[in-house]
Amino acid sequence: MLEIADNGRTWILSGPASSYALHLTEGDELLHLHWGPRIGLADAEALAVRPLPDYWPFESPLDGREEYPVEGGPRFVRPALSVRTDERRGTEWTFEAYERAEGGELRLRFRDGGLAITLHYRMRHDVVERWVSLDNEGPAVELLRADSATWTLPDREGGWRLSQLHGRWAAESRLVRAPLTYGEKVIGSRRGHTGHQHLPWVALDTDATEERGEVYGCALGWSGSWRIAVAELPDTRVQITGGAGYDDSGLLRLEAGESFTTPVFAGLWSEGGFGGASRAWHAYQRAYVIPDADRDRPVLFNSWEATEFDISEEQQGVLARRAAAIGVELFVVDDGWFGKRTSDRAGLGDWTPNPDRFPGGLKPLADYVHALGMQFGIWVEPEMVNPDSDLYRAHPDWVQYQPGRKRTELRNQLVLNLAREDVQEYLWEQLHALLSSAPIDYVKWDFNRCFTDAGWPDDPYPQRLWVDHVTALYRLLDRLRQAHPNVAFESCSGGGGRIDLGVMSRTDQVWTSDNTDPLDRLAIQHGFTQIHPARVMAAWVTDSPNTQLNGRVSSLRFRFVSAMAGVLGVGGDLAEWTEEELAEAGDWVALYKEIRPLVQRGDLYRLRPPEGGLSAVQYVLDDEAVVLAWLQAQRYGEPVPALRLRGLDPAASYECRETGEVHRGAVLLHHGLRTGLRGDLDATVLRLRRI
Ligand code: GLA
């Protein structure tokens, strides 16, 4: 809901539980008024007449209070907008008009010379989506920096704490929480993709717990380089500024008639602690971001860990038969099916099946997989090329490179310059032909190296390839989805290197991490679900001892229960699994299908974090709940604590399907459910139904 004051200078957007208000002064300064619990227009108007502090000349009363601080004038905070023309640098805007656009969107239009600057606000559930569009109607303007938004936190006594999700390859999205101090904390990526190092999300609180207290969160929808800066100003005010690009050294040059729209930077206020904030983010993404989120994702098999590059049609057929027998619904052939791709040294760029491995193309295997009752998927990495490929031999200038400099190879590959129209057209043709050549239902879209030599010889403004690469990727995905509406896409980047609200709005699930160790995964999943829902969080059961990382030995039970917390997949070498293991796997897959609606569409409660002993998550949907619990190590013979459940009706009774016991809701909420776990690396699934 959007309400506007009579004078047309105070605006308030409200969701079910929260409001966001802003005000334009007579001097056209756009000030933040409120972000928090629901208030009315009269409250916002009362806030609007409060005078600004009377600062000495060494501080600015605007700092820490503006919605979108531009560069120039009495401001010393990090500018969200920094532009220059041939004549001058900075912005001095005048307000032109506001507009109430479709879907309750508020647009505020400002102008500085030929540059029109429009701030967009839209409330969806309790998430405020903010972005900015810049339309140049005058002489060329260079956008040095154009952030999506600056968020302002209220004054609170006691310090703020910052939560972030940090990581690296095979160790993504690990939650860290630390006090914020004066100055700036900057996270981001200067790698050309979202990166494994940080998810583009932050949360700020003063004293929240998992279930209680105020939490502010911000998440960026951009799959290229990005930056989020959290600043604590000298008067303890806190602002969060974020957008595309890491540096301030030039994002784009807008010629007359050109425009740029920033990605969305979404913000959420919640009073329900970290868990409540996560559930609100999940509900928002399921409703507004993830395509077809009400359609449950199938159980998949992926051949990567089983076979790596050594694949053939016949061997994939053997795996497919075994996968079908344990109840898998989608069979995905990973790397190695195309070009001369018998190792990571060759083939990227040549998206036609390897004739030695797939003599009849992919169709015979796809048909076979369909006949087994499964969908068929393949792996691609379209934005890359191996120098040893037909594509590179034909078009050595289609990659990112600096003239006269070394072309840095990582994993023996170079990055294609997707900003080039001929490259975009080539990829469209190749992928469209591929998806038309066989009944393919699923594409795992990978991105396995960062930008290093992001040059574009002959282009007058080569820096633009950082932004244009991402917009070209988005257009390509959108075009493919439109032409092949029944194909689902997975975003992968060496595991979780490209996970953000931008890519998530055009893919159906994401590859959470190349780390499939079931214990490590608990922490990765704990971090991941701070912002994203289990509905997109792909997790595979792989072999024990773990082949990729650490050789850890774990039971099939532990591996399955760990992976069942997300979108279940199987990635072990089924050809080597015993009859007993296959039978047990079949039971777990069947159980997953039963609890899948709760996991993929229910409310997620993190009951205990994975910090050594017992950890657990619970999903609730309508009258059902399911608890997934893991015991890492039982020590000193200490009894394993009961799990206090959440989201249940205290007045109702619940039957546990596993034990047949009937529990009172109030008892489960206040005294907990015993899990029966013991020893090391034990795990269980407990289903509860209201009776
Ligand atoms: C990346 C992915 C893996 C696998 C390999 C194939 O590392 O994350 O799952 O697809 O590429 O080369």
Side-chain angles (χ1 to χ4, degrees):
M1 185 174 67
L2 168 64
E3 293 169 277
I4 302 166
D6 289 342
N7 65 5
R9 287 191 164 245
T10 298
W11 300 271
I12 175 164
L13 297 101
S14 294
S18 66
S19 295
Y20 190 97
L22 53 155
H23 170 70
L24 187 73
T25 68
E26 292 304 322
D28 285 356
E29 294 137 342
L30 186 65
L31 300 182
H32 177 75
L33 294 182
H34 172 83
W35 184 23
R38 243 190 115 120
I39 58 168
L41 185 58
D43 304 315
E45 288 182 290
L47 279 168
V49 296
R50 282 190 179 191
L52 289 179
D54 185 14
Y55 278 139
W56 289 91
F58 294 108
E59 303 291 346
S60 166
L62 295 177
D63 282 355
R65 287 168 183 82
E66 284 192 300
E67 279 291 295
Y68 194 69
V70 297
E71 186 181 22
R75 301 175 176 89
F76 310 107
V77 293
R78 176 186 284 280
L81 182 68
S82 170
V83 303
R84 79 173 159 215
T85 62
D86 289 344
E87 282 185 335
R88 61 188 175 215
R89 182 173 168 142
T91 300
E92 201 175 87
W93 70 23
T94 49
F95 181 64
E96 284 203 333
Y98 72 83
E99 190 187 332
R100 186 196 283 271
E102 218 180 299
E105 179 195 327
L106 170 66
R107 292 187 189 153
L108 304 178
R109 204 172 65 245
F110 298 85
R111 172 173 298 280
D112 182 16
L115 186 66
I117 303 155
T118 308
L119 310 191
H120 303 252
Y121 293 80
R122 180 168 58 198
M123 189 78 142
R124 286 174 147 178
H125 286 186
D126 278 305
V127 171
V128 186
E129 295 180 335
R130 293 184 55 186
W131 70 101
V132 173
S133 50
L134 299 150
D135 301 284
N136 186 24
E137 291 144 20
V141 176
E142 190 182 6
L143 307 180
L144 297 167
R145 181 82 200 166
D147 278 309
S148 301
T150 293
W151 300 94
T152 304
L153 301 188
D155 288 328
R156 288 282 181 270
E157 276 178 39
W160 288 97
R161 274 192 304 185
L162 172 69
S163 302
Q164 60 182 111
L165 296 168
H166 86 105
R168 55 182 169 75
W169 175 78
E172 298 88 334
S173 58
R174 285 168 306 143
L175 179 64
V176 182
R177 193 161 282 151
L180 194 67
T181 52
Y182 293 104
E184 264 189 319
K185 172 83 183 180
V186 179
I187 62 169
S189 154
R190 42 203 316 283
R191 297 161 186 261
H193 64 131
T194 324
H196 300 80
Q197 291 67 26
H198 307 275
L199 256 62
W201 167 86
V202 289
L204 287 118
D205 77 291
T206 56
D207 56 359
T209 64
E210 183 65 18
E211 295 302 329
R212 261 182 296 278
E214 264 193 326
V215 178
Y216 288 85
C218 304
L220 191 66
W222 185 244
S223 311
S225 292
W226 57 277
R227 183 178 74 199
I228 296 177
V230 183
E232 181 165 331
L233 304 177
D235 59 358
T236 74
R237 293 182 70 83
V238 172
Q239 287 195 315
I240 303 149
T241 299
Y246 190 85
D247 303 310
D248 298 337
S249 52
L251 197 61
L252 286 175
R253 186 179 157 88
L254 297 185
E255 300 297 335
E258 289 185 338
S259 300
F260 173 63
T261 302
T262 72
V264 167
F265 198 15
L268 168 81
W269 171 86
S270 162
E271 211 168 19
F274 300 112
S278 298
R279 286 185 290 282
W281 277 121
H282 298 173
Y284 157 73
Q285 288 169 64
R286 285 196 301 255
Y288 295 106
V289 179
I290 302 159
D292 302 324
D294 46 4
R295 208 182 299 159
D296 291 344
R297 296 299 312 147
V299 177
L300 68 73
F301 174 82
N302 180 295
S303 61
W304 173 246
E305 287 201 22
T307 59
E308 296 212 335
F309 291 103
D310 188 14
I311 73 172
S312 70
E313 183 178 326
E314 195 194 327
Q315 162 232 45
Q316 294 289 310
V318 172
L319 289 168
R321 276 199 298 285
R322 293 199 153 205
I326 62 170
V328 165
E329 299 159 312
L330 161 63
F331 182 84
V332 184
V333 178
D334 208 276
D335 205 346
W337 60 267
F338 54 91
K340 301 230 165 31
R341 187 76 169 169
T342 53
S343 75
D344 63 16
R345 284 184 293 279
L348 286 176
D350 302 336
W351 299 108
T352 45
N354 178 322
D356 301 331
R357 297 177 161 198
F358 296 90
L362 290 171
K363 190 165 184 310
L365 179 62
D367 286 341
Y368 183 64
V369 165
H370 281 160
L372 289 168
M374 298 183 291
Q375 298 184 335
F376 179 72
I378 47 150
W379 178 97
V380 293
E381 197 184 349
E383 298 146 87
M384 301 291 168
V385 65
N386 285 118
D388 185 0
S389 66
D390 293 342
L391 178 64
Y392 188 73
R393 281 182 283 273
H395 298 286
D397 54 336
W398 276 13
V399 297
Q400 300 179 351
Y401 70 102
Q402 304 283 357
R405 296 271 162 87
K406 202 164 53 209
R407 300 181 182 199
T408 309
E409 292 180 27
L410 297 173
R411 209 192 189 208
N412 309 301
Q413 63 197 55
L414 301 168
V415 186
L416 286 175
N417 182 356
L418 249 66
R420 290 178 64 123
E421 279 173 22
D422 43 10
V423 172
Q424 295 168 15
E425 215 35 44
Y426 172 82
L427 290 179
W428 155 255
E429 279 163 18
Q430 293 288 302
L431 294 166
H432 179 53
L434 175 65
L435 295 181
S436 312
S437 73
I440 293 168
D441 308 293
Y442 186 81
V443 172
K444 175 179 172 185
W445 186 299
D446 214 332
F447 180 95
N448 273 324
R449 60 155 291 177
C450 311
F451 291 10
T452 50
D453 317 295
W456 185 354
D458 303 331
D459 190 85
Y461 197 79
Q463 294 98 300
R464 73 184 170 103
L465 73 75
W466 293 87
V467 166
D468 287 0
H469 186 103
V470 181
T471 49
L473 165 73
Y474 287 171
R475 273 201 310 277
L476 186 57
L477 279 166
D478 291 345
R479 197 171 168 193
L480 288 165
R481 289 187 78 96
Q482 206 176 9
H484 304 274
N486 296 321
V487 178
F489 289 80
E490 169 177 334
S491 172
C492 173
S493 174
R498 193 152 63 189
I499 299 174
D500 57 82
L501 296 175
V503 82
M504 217 167 263
S505 68
R506 27 183 73 83
T507 50
D508 300 85
Q509 63 190 62
V510 299
W511 184 219
T512 316
S513 176
D514 273 343
N515 184 338
T516 61
D517 172 80
L519 184 63
D520 287 353
R521 264 301 175 109
L522 298 181
I524 292 172
Q525 294 175 176
H526 180 75
F528 184 94
T529 62
Q530 300 293 320
I531 166 81
H532 301 304
R535 167 60 177 69
V536 297
M537 183 174 76
W540 309 340
V541 173
T542 54
D543 292 331
S544 169
N546 182 279
T547 57
Q548 302 281 305
L549 276 183
N550 54 23
R552 180 175 282 127
V553 175
S554 58
S555 65
L556 211 46
R557 161 179 283 270
F558 193 82
R559 281 175 275 152
F560 263 100
V561 181
S562 171
M564 282 160 70
V567 178
L568 177 65
V570 177
D573 189 357
L574 295 183
E576 297 293 321
W577 287 21
T578 65
E579 288 304 323
E580 294 74 49
E581 284 172 324
L582 291 169
E584 186 186 337
D587 292 342
W588 287 115
V589 171
L591 176 61
Y592 180 73
K593 288 177 184 169
E594 267 194 52
I595 64 169
R596 170 164 55 191
L598 284 79
V599 173
Q600 296 195 12
R601 274 178 277 135
D603 283 333
L604 166 65
Y605 295 84
R606 292 180 295 261
L607 301 181
R608 286 174 70 99
E611 282 164 5
L614 176 69
S615 67
V617 295
Q618 179 194 352
Y619 304 84
V620 180
L621 183 67
D622 303 326
D623 286 340
E624 289 183 84
V626 62
V627 175
L628 276 57
W630 305 272
L631 182 63
Q632 183 181 341
Q634 188 178 21
R635 310 197 61 199
Y636 315 113
E638 275 167 2
V640 176
L643 289 169
R644 281 183 64 187
L645 304 192
R646 305 283 175 206
L648 302 181
D649 177 356
S653 290
Y654 294 85
E655 183 182 355
C656 176
R657 303 262 306 279
E658 276 56 45
T659 62
E661 286 171 349
V662 174
H663 302 278
R664 302 182 67 82
V667 172
L668 293 174
L669 289 167
H670 302 299
H671 299 276
L673 176 71
R674 299 219 169 91
T675 58
L677 295 175
R678 62 193 305 260
D680 289 350
L681 295 186
D682 196 6
T684 192
V685 176
L686 296 163
R687 289 169 292 170
L688 295 159
R689 184 180 288 155
R690 186 189 180 122
I691 49 173

